[in-house]
Amino acid sequence: MRSILKAINVQKVFGVKGNVYKALEDINLEIQEGEFVGIMGPSGSGKSTLLNILSTIDTPTSGDIIIDNQNIIKMNEEQLSDFRRNKLGFIFQDYNLLDTLTVKENILLPLALSKVPAKEIEQRVNELADTFGIREILNKYPYHISGGQKQRTAASRAIVANPSLILADEPTGALDSKSATSLLESLSTLNKVKQATIMMVTHDVYAASFCKRVLFIKDGRLVTELHKGQLQRKEFFQKILDILASLGGGDNDVI
């Protein structure tokens, strides 16, 4: 199995001498192609900081981050911009859709920017619309659809260019339970059928139970991990809950 993401001795320090705060300390992790990995931890644990660094939004104080065999720490801003567009897919809690474009146009935007042939664009968009159950709203605008439909549109846009790694930041945070389940089932299907590699930061135990592996972070350090293996989702849910309880909860991050 191919390594998609590797973080090596990653540290993030905020502040100046005499008033230093270590947000991340000696983070070492690896995600293989086709994994669906969750990141969880108590409030202030550093999970949002970790996601920002792994997604190239922020830079570590020290350490290396290898994504798809490329060390992103050594890239300049222009190289990082190209890398984000070609290799990473982002699913945010607040959708980030363009209201002036239809659902279909929002989804195909990354492909249009990359000058992918029209026939291939049509095929990819329709395939994802079926996976996420949004084919009937392709010609609607974001302000005409529900929050769940917006998030499934955003997920389709993140995935349409076949990125090496999909990064999801609290993707179910603004959704009702039915919409959240629909999104998580679609992501799970994508992971199983297309071998999409997904890393999801979440405070929601239900969302994490859809992952194949969950990493737990506390006080800026990775403290343990849990593999789903042959467990049923309800059993996995309970094990995640037990670990979070021992760590001190799993509320939204303040970092």
Side-chain angles (χ1 to χ4, degrees), residues 15-34:
V16 290
K17 263 187 179 179
N19 188 24
V20 168
Y21 171 67
K22 282 189 176 180
L24 297 176
E25 194 167 355
D26 295 323
I27 297 288
N28 289 280
L29 66 85
E30 187 167 4
I31 295 177
Q32 305 289 337
E33 187 173 30

Side-chain angles (χ1 to χ4, degrees), residues 12 14 21-25 27 39-53 201 217-222 253-255:
K12 182 65 176 181
F14 293 105
Y21 171 67
K22 282 189 176 180
L24 297 176
E25 194 167 355
I27 297 288
I39 308 279
M40 299 196 82
S43 176
S45 60
K47 58 186 185 287
S48 293
T49 303
L50 179 60
L51 179 74
N52 287 342
I53 285 173
V201 166
I217 186 171
K218 183 177 184 180
D219 299 330
R221 290 176 173 271
L222 289 174
D253 238 347
V254 295
I255 296 174

